[in-house]
Amino acid sequence: MNLENPSRENMVYMLNELQKKLTMANTSVMNPDAFELNVYEDMYDLFEMVMRKERFSINEMEAIVSELGSLRKK
């Protein structure tokens, strides 16, 4: 799977992987229908950063969730 190519399938994959990695209780923030393809590049950058790290502080988790929230449809 080439995640550098924007597609709905890739967006769903990244959101599922982020959800697993972050072990989030509130999964509604990760609903693929809440994201447009025009934020794909930002989502991909966030995905790459999260996948590189092993652990996250509470502040980092809050920042990640905040960033995801800013990428959602308005």
Side-chain angles (χ1 to χ4, degrees):
M1 176 176 284
N2 183 357
L3 294 177
E4 292 181 15
N5 295 325
S7 72
R8 176 62 50 196
E9 179 183 73
N10 287 348
M11 180 81 77
V12 170
Y13 173 81
M14 287 191 295
L15 287 166
N16 286 335
E17 292 302 307
L18 285 169
Q19 187 175 339
K20 288 180 203 172
K21 178 86 175 198
L22 299 173
T23 59
M24 296 179 66
N26 182 1
T27 58
S28 66
V29 75
M30 305 295 255
N31 180 353
D33 294 332
F35 297 90
E36 301 270 351
L37 273 181
N38 65 339
V39 299
Y40 188 89
E41 189 175 314
D42 293 328
M43 177 70 71
Y44 180 70
D45 291 341
L46 181 65
F47 174 80
E48 291 267 292
M49 186 273 303
V50 168
M51 291 303 152
R52 279 193 296 262
K53 290 194 64 137
E54 296 246 349
R55 292 176 234 188
F56 302 93
S57 69
I58 292 171
N59 288 339
E60 288 172 319
M61 285 290 285
E62 288 175 358
I64 291 166
V65 170
S66 176
E67 182 64 21
L68 283 168
S70 73
L71 296 176
R72 291 170 59 94
K73 292 179 192 175
K74 302 291 187 247

